[in-house]
């Protein structure tokens, strides 16, 4: 039934029913009607505006193009496509047939050619058609954010101004993520023409929506009220130009205030308070700070130095805090000492409160570990693991998880577990079930299988998956359809085992060609695991459904990429667009932007480029450049004034990878500002951040660094001697030895744990290490230190030959400390659970001791991390196994060893057949699968 033959109430009902479908649509392209009456277009656009946030970028552009086409057709009766003269030439060519691909989009299924015939359009539109009038502007709504630049100029000034003054303008530019900055500035420039001057336009800035984030040139002088109004409109904007404007507005309000510490001023500043220095924030009364934290909530994120100062102000010298008070602090909790968090007075009901989730999301690893330690005193392990918010859950150790005794679906599902957690819980559950009844999975019932959480079932060992009885297939397939495979590494043996068992359930022993598209859809995420040879055995309809679903696979298997590449190679002459080009070199782009920032066009006209070193870093430039301050030369940094350095030190200190010469110059500025390191306090060290790398090892030992500061600067590019110096200085200032370190301290030390000597590591408490090690996953120590931590791991987890997937996953980079014999003793099934970062850290000689089966089990991600030196130390058979792992090649199951011959009844799908049937989906998948 076509839309123009429907009753109005029926049409309204159809559009209403289409809304939830569009919000969950899987196909990339929608079939929108070729023509539509004006009243019905208004109904449809109302619905399309409501689902804007749910559509893909391609779908949003499609809607924009469709609206433009309808407007031009309705009001101008012309087309942008070639007219009949060119069509007559095309008509002389023999028609080509193509299969009609039906998807689950709403609307009719007419082809573009058929749609064009229905238009009754006889003329070509003029090049400069002013089509974007008031009615079109209103109809488009948020889809205006996807217009082309030349479309913006297609709007007559009077009608655009009329739209700007209407109540529909702001909603059209609110919540439109992804709008191109240049398009936003073009729109802004056009609507600015609607006002006589800047002052008048600034009074209407509240109408701009997200366009306000590009309004960076207000009048030089504004009233206090207008300044407050503009600052409030910029509260959610974060681009560099707006940050500079917000700081200017904040300074203007501070200058115009009689009392720079009044509660009213803090209210007026709103999120602009994040532009104040720690000292300025400390002058506001506690009551005003509490009110601001309540009002701002999670909308703002304080810099660490600000959070430290605000936390100090709120505590007022107290060494204790309640759980309720903790949750009221918002992102200021980042500034609380780790030592204080261990002593927080928690109540048993704290775990069920949303506030705990919010604040722990702001915390560092060490702080989260401290909170867990405090919670242990009021709740048992089982309640803690069941009710802990996701940010805390990631810091729960395997030891605590084992004690939690989790077995039911309600206890496990709905949580963001990491791989180690899931592997541990699954192993524990399966062992318990086997004790209940020997051979439990050989004769498991549908009811029993249904009780096993899907999150754990996908970790069932392959040998147990293989023996699941056919009677449980319906339940097994239902669980696989809803499974989340993210806790299984790409090369995990369970993936192919689950896929094969699901296919056996569907195909009754191997008749893949008989599967329908509905049956294929029951595979759920296992569709992403199907190898090409199985895809080639499917009937065309089922293959169509598979390819559509594969477009949403979170990770495309290398085998699919190579297979599709072969198909596309044969189709390359028919493709109208080239494959996606490599991503641009962002470092080169950043360097070019740096050059343009410090040498504006006017300056470049006045002087030669080779005099760039004459540019002096200023406060404005440094704040605008942010991480691109890395490109200042030492000579330029030397010309920076001490005042500029102290005003921007936190921005400069956030950069982790300065050169030695840059650090030497920045260190010199620090000593000019605050004197030698013996005169510096912790507040200065916090502000210096990564600039501290410029100090000598002797100076580093004298810096007053707390445990919390260590964790904050751990990401800087410290070398081995500096790490040792910082640890020695911290231990001396804190009067601690390695034996005094608990789990919280081990986690908070972060990279500086690598500074411990052999004797220090020997003093570490094994239980504390066992509790902390899962939060040390990103720590990379020297090989010698890693070997010593490996000895500690053996003491905590037993011999490597007995380590499970969960153990290997939780030990992270410490796995690189195993010697050749220990690596060789590992079960092949654990190799896909090795962290990617640990692979290149393994010495080549030790890596060469791995067996073919171990290398084959690495999986694509880990195999891709193998270094040239490691590969060179291998034999031919090992290199072949590594290649298999990297490409995802596995031995084909016996049930499907080769494609059946045509006599068997299965269709033989040639390249031509694939091309004819799948061409639309190859276009759809091309950009995704070849990434």
């Amino acid at each position: 039934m076509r839309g123009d033959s429907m009753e109005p109430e029926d049409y309204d009902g159809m559009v209403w029913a289409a809304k939830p479908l569009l919000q969950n649509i899987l196909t990339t392209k929608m079939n929108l009607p070729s023509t539509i009456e004006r009243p019905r277009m208004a109904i449809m656009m109302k619905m399309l505006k409501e689902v804007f946030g749910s559509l893909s970028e391609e779908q949003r552009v499609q809607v924009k193009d469709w609206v433009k086409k309808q407007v031009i057709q309705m009001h101008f009766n012309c087309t942008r496509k070639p007219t009949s003269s060119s069509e007559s030439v095309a008509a002389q060519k023999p028609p080509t047939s193509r299969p009609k691909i039906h998807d689950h989009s709403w609307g009719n299924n007419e082809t573009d050619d058929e749609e064009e015939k229905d238009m009754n359009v006889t003329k070509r539109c003029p090049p400069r058609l002013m089509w974007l009038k008031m009615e079109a502007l209103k109809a488009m709504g948020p889809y205006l954010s996807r217009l082309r630049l030349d479309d913006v100029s297609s709007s007559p000034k009077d009608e655009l101004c009329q739209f700007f003054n209407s109540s529909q303008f702001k909603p059209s530019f609110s919540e439109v993520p992804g709008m191109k900055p240049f398009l936003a500035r073009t729109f802004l420039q056009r609507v600015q023409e609607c006002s006589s001057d800047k002052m008048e336009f600034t009074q209407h800035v509240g109408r701009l929506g997200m366009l306000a984030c590009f309004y960076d040139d207000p009048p030089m002088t504004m009233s206090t009220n207008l300044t407050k109004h503009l600052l409030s409109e910029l509260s959610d904007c974060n681009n560099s130009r707006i940050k500079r404007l917000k700081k200017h507005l904040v300074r203007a309000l501070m200058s115009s205030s009689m009392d720079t510490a009044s509660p009213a001023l803090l209210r007026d500043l709103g999120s602009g308070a994040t532009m104040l220095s720690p000292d300025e924030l400390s002058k506001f009364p506690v009551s005003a700070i509490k009110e601001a934290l309540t009002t701002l909530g999670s909308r703002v994120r304080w810099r660490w130095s600000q959070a430290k100062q605000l936390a100090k102000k709120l505590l007022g010298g107290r060494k204790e805090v309640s759980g309720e008070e903790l949750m009221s602090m918002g992102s200021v909790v980042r500034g609380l000492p780790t030592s204080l968090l261990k002593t927080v007075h928690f109540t048993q009901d704290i775990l069920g409160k949303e506030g705990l989730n919010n604040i722990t999301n702001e915390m560092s690893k060490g702080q989260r570990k401290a909170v867990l330690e405090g919670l242990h005193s009021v709740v048992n392990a089982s309640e803690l693991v069941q009710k802990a918010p996701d940010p805390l859950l990631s810091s729960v150790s395997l030891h605590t998880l084992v004690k939690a005794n989790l077995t039911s679906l309600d206890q496990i599902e709905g949580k963001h577990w990491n791989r180690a957690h899931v592997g541990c819980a699954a192993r524990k559950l399966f062992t318990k079930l086997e004790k209940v009844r020997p051979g439990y999975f050989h004769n498991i019932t549908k009811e029993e299988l249904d009780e096993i959480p899907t999150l754990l079932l996908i970790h069932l060992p392959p040998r147990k998956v293989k023996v699941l009885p056919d009677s449980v297939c319906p339940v097994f397939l239902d669980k696989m359809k809803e499974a989340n495979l993210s806790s299984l590494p790409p090369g995990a043996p369970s993936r192919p085992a689950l896929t094969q068992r699901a296919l056996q359930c569907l195909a009754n022993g191997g008749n893949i060609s008989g599967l329908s598209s509905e049956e294929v859809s029951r595979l759920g995420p296992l569709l992403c695991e199907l190898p090409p040879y199985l895809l080639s055995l499917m009937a065309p309809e089922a293959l169509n459904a598979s390819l559509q679903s594969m477009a949403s696979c979170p990770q495309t298997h290398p085998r699919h990429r190579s297979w599709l590449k072969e198909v596309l190679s044969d189709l390359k002459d028919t493709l109208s667009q080239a494959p996606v080009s490599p991503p641009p070199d962002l470092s080169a782009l950043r360097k070019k932007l740096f050059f343009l920032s410090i040498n504006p066009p006017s300056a470049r006209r006045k002087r030669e480029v080779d005099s760039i070193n004459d540019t002096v870093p200023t406060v404005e430039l440094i704040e605008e450049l942010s991480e691109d301050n890395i490109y200042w030369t030492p000579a330029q940094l030397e010309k920076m004034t001490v005042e500029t350095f102290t005003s921007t030190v936190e921005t400069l200190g956030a950069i982790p990878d300065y050169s030695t010469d840059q650090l030497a110059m920045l260190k010199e500025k620090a000593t000019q500002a605050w004197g030698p390191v013996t005169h510096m306090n912790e507040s200065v060290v916090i502000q210096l951040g990564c600039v501290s790398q410029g100090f000598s090892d002797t100076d580093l030992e004298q810096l007053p660094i707390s445990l919390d500061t260590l964790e904050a600067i751990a990401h800087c590019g410290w070398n081995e001697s500096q790490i040792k110096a910082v640890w020695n200085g911290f231990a001396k200032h804190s009067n601690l030895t390695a034996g005094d370190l608990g789990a919280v301290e081990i986690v908070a030390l972060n990279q500086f744990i690598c500074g411990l000597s052999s004797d220090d590591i020997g003093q570490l408490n094994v239980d504390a290490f066992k509790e902390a090690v899962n939060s040390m996953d990103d720590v990379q120590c020297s090989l010698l230190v890693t070997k010593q931590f490996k000895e500690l791991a053996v003491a905590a987890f037993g011999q490597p030959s007995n380590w499970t997937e969960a153990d290997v996953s939780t030990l992270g980079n410490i796995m690189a400390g195993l010697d050749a014999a220990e690596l060789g003793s590992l079960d092949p099934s654990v190799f896909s659970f090795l962290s990617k970062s640990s692979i290149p850290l393994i010495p080549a000689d030790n890596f060469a001791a791995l067996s073919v089966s171990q290398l084959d089990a690495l999986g694509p991600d880990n195999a891709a991390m193998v270094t040239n030196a490691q590969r060179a130390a291998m034999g031919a058979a090992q290199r072949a196994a590594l290649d298999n792992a990297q490409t995802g090649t596995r031995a084909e199951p016996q049930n499907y060893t080769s494609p059946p011959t045509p006599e068997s009844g299965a269709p033989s799908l040639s390249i031509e057949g694939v091309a004819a049937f799948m061409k639309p989906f190859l276009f759809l998948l091309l950009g995704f699968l070849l990434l």
Side-chain angles (χ1 to χ4, degrees):
M1 179 183 290
R2 293 179 60 88
D4 53 12
S5 63
M6 298 177 69
E7 294 297 328
E9 58 270 20
D10 293 333
Y11 188 83
D12 290 353
M14 181 192 72
V15 174
W16 171 81
K19 180 179 176 180
L21 177 61
L22 280 175
Q23 290 174 319
N24 298 282
I25 196 167
L26 295 178
T27 53
T28 303
K29 189 174 182 180
M30 299 179 291
N31 283 336
L32 297 168
S34 59
T35 58
I36 188 172
E37 296 176 358
R38 188 176 299 182
R40 291 178 178 176
M41 182 176 174
I43 296 172
M44 186 176 293
M45 283 311 301
K46 181 178 183 297
M47 182 270 293
L48 287 172
K49 291 176 187 178
E50 292 171 354
V51 300
F52 177 87
S54 304
L55 300 184
S56 69
E57 185 61 24
E58 184 174 347
Q59 290 165 340
R60 292 169 182 170
V61 172
Q62 184 190 354
V63 173
K64 177 266 297 183
D65 290 338
W66 177 78
V67 176
K68 178 179 177 180
K69 179 180 176 182
Q70 297 303 315
V71 169
I72 291 174
Q73 181 180 334
M74 285 179 189
H75 297 278
F76 304 96
N77 193 30
C78 65
T79 179
R80 298 273 183 173
K81 293 189 175 183
T83 53
S84 57
S85 60
S86 58
E87 290 171 355
S88 62
V89 176
Q92 298 174 12
K93 299 180 180 180
T96 57
S97 62
R98 64 179 180 183
K100 187 176 292 185
I101 308 298
H102 294 277
D103 60 17
H104 300 286
S105 304
W106 60 280
N108 60 43
N109 285 307
E110 297 174 325
T111 64
D112 290 339
D113 292 336
E114 292 167 340
E115 290 174 358
E116 194 68 30
K117 291 177 183 177
D118 289 340
M119 285 187 184
N120 297 319
V121 172
T122 59
K123 62 180 180 179
R124 186 84 181 270
C125 295
R128 295 181 176 274
L129 182 66
M130 302 296 283
W131 66 273
L132 193 58
K133 297 188 177 183
M134 184 65 174
E135 185 174 345
L137 290 165
K138 289 181 177 180
M140 282 213 163
Y143 296 95
L144 290 169
S145 64
R146 268 47 187 183
L147 288 175
R148 292 162 51 91
L149 281 177
D150 55 357
D151 287 328
V152 181
S153 62
S154 300
S155 183
K157 178 181 176 180
D158 58 339
E159 303 216 20
L160 180 60
C161 291
Q162 182 184 352
F163 181 56
F164 176 61
N165 290 317
S166 74
S167 60
Q168 295 187 44
F169 188 90
K170 184 172 183 177
S172 298
F173 291 98
S174 300
E175 298 182 12
V176 284
M179 186 176 185
K180 301 294 188 296
F182 202 74
L183 177 63
R185 290 193 176 94
T186 303
F187 256 117
L188 183 62
Q189 184 179 0
R190 289 291 318 273
V191 297
Q192 280 181 291
E193 297 171 359
C194 301
S195 300
S196 58
D197 55 35
K198 287 184 180 181
M199 189 65 72
E200 180 187 347
F201 181 76
T202 305
Q203 294 173 353
H204 303 304
V205 74
R207 299 176 185 169
L208 291 174
M210 71 151 288
L211 295 185
C213 294
F214 300 92
Y215 181 54
D216 51 16
D217 187 27
M220 293 298 294
T221 57
M222 293 186 292
S223 66
T224 300
N225 287 336
L226 194 54
T227 301
K228 294 177 186 177
H229 176 59
L230 180 55
L231 185 60
S232 67
E233 291 298 324
L234 303 178
S235 60
D236 296 325
C237 304
N238 288 309
N239 62 69
S240 58
R241 292 186 183 182
I242 290 300
K243 285 182 180 178
R244 187 169 56 193
L245 173 58
K246 286 168 73 173
K247 188 164 188 176
H248 168 73
L249 296 174
V250 167
R251 289 296 155 212
L253 286 180
M254 294 286 287
S255 300
S256 63
S257 176
M258 299 294 292
D259 181 2
T260 57
S262 70
L265 175 61
L266 192 57
R267 283 193 296 271
D268 291 337
L269 291 174
S271 63
T274 57
M275 300 290 172
L276 299 179
S277 70
D279 286 342
E280 288 172 324
L281 286 171
S282 67
K283 295 176 181 177
F284 289 100
V286 172
S287 59
I289 293 174
K290 287 182 177 180
E291 179 186 343
L293 293 178
T294 302
T295 303
L296 296 173
S298 58
R299 287 173 50 210
V300 301
R301 183 173 175 81
W302 304 97
R303 297 195 309 274
W304 192 55
S305 61
Q306 293 174 321
K308 293 280 287 185
Q309 189 64 59
L310 288 171
K312 183 179 179 181
K313 181 81 174 182
L314 291 172
L315 289 174
R318 291 180 292 128
K319 301 298 183 182
E320 294 181 347
V321 64
S322 69
E324 290 296 328
E325 186 177 2
L326 188 70
M327 290 192 295
S328 70
M329 291 186 176
S331 61
V332 169
V333 296
R334 297 174 62 226
L336 289 174
T338 301
S339 56
L340 180 143
L341 290 172
K342 291 197 294 184
T343 62
V344 172
H345 297 297
F346 289 112
T347 56
Q348 287 188 328
D349 63 344
I350 192 77
L351 284 171
K353 297 185 177 180
E354 180 63 23
L356 186 62
N357 178 75
N358 294 336
I359 62 169
T360 53
N361 198 45
E362 298 285 345
M363 291 181 176
S364 66
K365 285 184 178 181
Q367 288 179 312
R368 291 172 187 165
K369 203 70 182 178
V371 169
L372 280 174
E373 196 166 294
L375 288 171
H376 270 298
S377 63
V378 294
V379 296
N380 58 37
S382 180
E383 185 177 1
L384 176 62
V385 173
Q386 289 180 55
K387 296 182 179 179
D390 288 334
L392 275 186
L393 198 61
S394 62
S395 297
V396 171
S397 68
L398 292 183
H399 179 63
T400 300
L401 192 62
V402 169
K403 292 195 300 182
N405 193 30
L406 303 180
T407 57
S408 72
L409 176 68
D410 293 340
Q411 292 173 320
I412 293 172
E413 293 203 329
K415 294 282 190 179
H416 287 79
W417 303 93
N418 61 36
R419 286 179 179 173
H421 288 151
V422 178
C424 175
R427 188 180 183 90
K428 182 179 177 183
L429 175 61
F430 300 151
T431 300
K432 180 178 180 179
L433 294 176
E434 292 283 3
K435 289 180 179 179
V436 170
R437 184 178 69 240
Y440 187 86
F441 292 97
H442 281 79
N443 52 15
I444 189 173
T445 67
K446 289 188 292 185
E447 293 74 20
E448 289 171 336
L449 185 67
D450 194 40
E451 289 178 358
I452 298 176
T454 305
L455 186 66
L456 302 188
L457 181 61
I458 62 175
H459 286 261
L460 191 66
R463 66 183 184 278
K464 298 185 187 297
V465 174
K466 187 176 181 180
V467 301
L468 290 174
D470 292 341
S471 59
V472 302
C473 277
V475 175
F476 180 75
L477 288 171
D478 287 343
K479 284 184 168 291
M480 291 304 101
K481 188 173 183 178
E482 67 181 27
N484 180 352
L485 302 182
S486 61
S487 64
L488 282 176
S494 295
R495 284 180 179 259
L498 293 167
T499 304
Q500 183 181 353
R501 190 68 189 93
L503 284 172
Q504 289 171 344
C505 284
L506 286 175
N508 297 319
N511 188 17
I512 299 299
S513 63
L515 294 180
S516 66
S517 58
E518 290 77 14
E519 289 172 322
V520 168
S521 68
R522 297 190 68 188
L523 291 173
L526 293 180
L527 269 172
C528 303
E529 303 299 314
L530 291 178
Y533 78 91
L534 284 182
L535 289 171
S536 67
L537 295 179
M538 289 183 178
E541 181 188 3
L543 184 60
N544 176 6
S546 300
L547 289 172
Q548 290 186 62
S549 298
M550 284 168 58
S552 59
C553 289
Q555 182 173 3
T556 309
H557 204 285
R559 291 173 296 168
H560 294 147
R561 298 175 194 164
S562 59
W563 170 73
L564 187 65
K565 185 178 180 181
E566 293 177 9
V567 177
L568 290 178
S569 295
D570 290 325
L571 288 172
K572 62 183 177 182
D573 293 334
T574 66
L575 296 177
S576 60
Q577 295 182 350
V580 178
S581 60
D585 184 346
L586 293 182
S587 62
L589 175 62
R590 286 175 55 196
K591 194 167 186 177
K592 181 66 174 178
L593 288 173
F594 170 82
F595 176 79
L596 292 172
S597 297
I598 68 172
N599 289 272
S602 58
R604 290 200 299 274
R605 287 195 296 268
K606 294 177 182 177
R607 57 187 177 184
E608 297 295 328
V609 174
D610 57 10
S611 64
I612 183 175
N613 284 337
D614 292 339
T615 305
V616 178
T618 63
V619 172
E620 291 75 19
L621 275 175
I622 290 172
E623 290 181 346
E624 178 182 346
L625 289 167
S626 188
E627 68 271 14
D628 291 341
N629 283 292
I630 187 69
Y631 297 111
W632 291 112
T633 66
Q636 289 171 315
L637 292 174
E638 184 178 17
K639 295 174 182 176
M640 176 173 50
T641 66
V642 174
E643 291 75 18
T644 296
F645 176 77
T646 55
S647 297
T648 61
V649 63
E650 286 191 75
T651 302
L652 295 170
I655 298 173
D657 45 5
Y658 287 116
S659 69
T660 302
D661 292 339
Q662 287 173 314
L663 285 171
M665 195 54 61
L666 290 170
K667 184 264 295 185
E668 184 63 29
K669 295 295 178 184
T671 54
Q672 290 175 16
W674 292 292
V677 293
T678 52
H679 294 175
M680 296 180 185
N681 56 32
E682 188 184 6
S683 175
V684 171
V685 177
I686 291 171
Q687 293 179 68
L688 287 173
C690 295
V691 172
S692 302
Q693 293 172 266
F695 293 116
S696 67
D697 291 354
T698 302
D699 285 342
L700 287 173
E701 288 197 31
Q702 299 182 63
L703 281 177
I705 300 179
S706 69
L707 187 65
D708 302 291
T709 305
L710 284 180
E711 190 170 14
I713 62 175
H715 69 287
C716 305
W718 303 96
N719 62 40
E720 191 174 346
S721 66
Q722 288 177 319
I723 287 174
K724 290 179 179 178
V726 172
W727 155 250
N728 289 333
F730 165 73
K732 181 173 64 177
H733 284 97
S734 304
N735 196 26
L736 288 173
T737 65
D740 299 324
L741 301 178
V744 173
E745 288 74 27
I746 292 174
V747 172
L749 277 172
N750 204 299
Q751 194 67 28
F752 295 105
I753 195 73
C754 300
L756 274 65
S757 66
S758 299
D759 290 341
D760 289 334
I761 295 174
Q763 294 177 36
L764 289 175
N765 182 283
V766 173
D767 289 335
F769 171 79
K770 194 173 184 178
E771 187 70 27
V773 69
N774 70 307
S775 296
M776 296 170 57
D777 52 345
D778 54 352
V779 171
Q780 291 189 15
C781 302
S782 67
L783 181 60
L784 178 62
V785 174
T786 302
K787 287 180 178 179
Q788 291 159 353
F789 276 117
K790 181 265 299 184
E791 296 298 333
L792 197 59
V794 171
F797 295 94
Q799 290 301 313
S801 58
N802 296 323
W803 286 354
T804 66
E805 293 94 335
D807 296 332
V808 168
S809 181
T810 202
L811 286 171
N813 292 329
I814 293 176
M815 293 297 298
L818 271 64
D819 60 33
E822 290 167 331
L823 283 170
S825 72
L826 293 172
D827 189 285
S829 65
V830 308
F831 273 77
S832 62
F833 286 82
L834 290 170
S835 67
K836 289 194 296 183
S837 58
S838 71
I839 301 295
L841 303 178
I842 301 173
D845 291 343
N846 292 349
F847 201 84
L850 297 180
S851 68
V852 168
S853 61
Q854 288 174 319
L855 289 167
D856 192 53
L858 274 174
D861 289 352
N862 284 342
M865 299 299 293
V866 174
T867 66
N868 291 333
Q870 290 170 330
R871 188 179 183 89
M874 296 179 186
Q878 290 174 307
R879 286 195 292 271
L882 183 64
D883 290 339
N884 288 341
Q886 191 160 358
T887 59
T889 304
R890 298 189 183 107
E892 298 177 2
Q894 291 185 352
N895 307 60
Y896 316 107
T897 53
S898 61
T901 61
E903 288 76 9
S904 68
S908 176
L909 203 61
S910 65
I911 288 295
E912 291 78 8
V914 171
F917 194 81
M918 302 190 309
K919 184 177 176 182
F921 298 104
L922 291 175
F923 281 107
L924 182 152
L925 293 168
L926 176 62
F928 178 78
L929 295 180
L930 293 184
L931 291 177

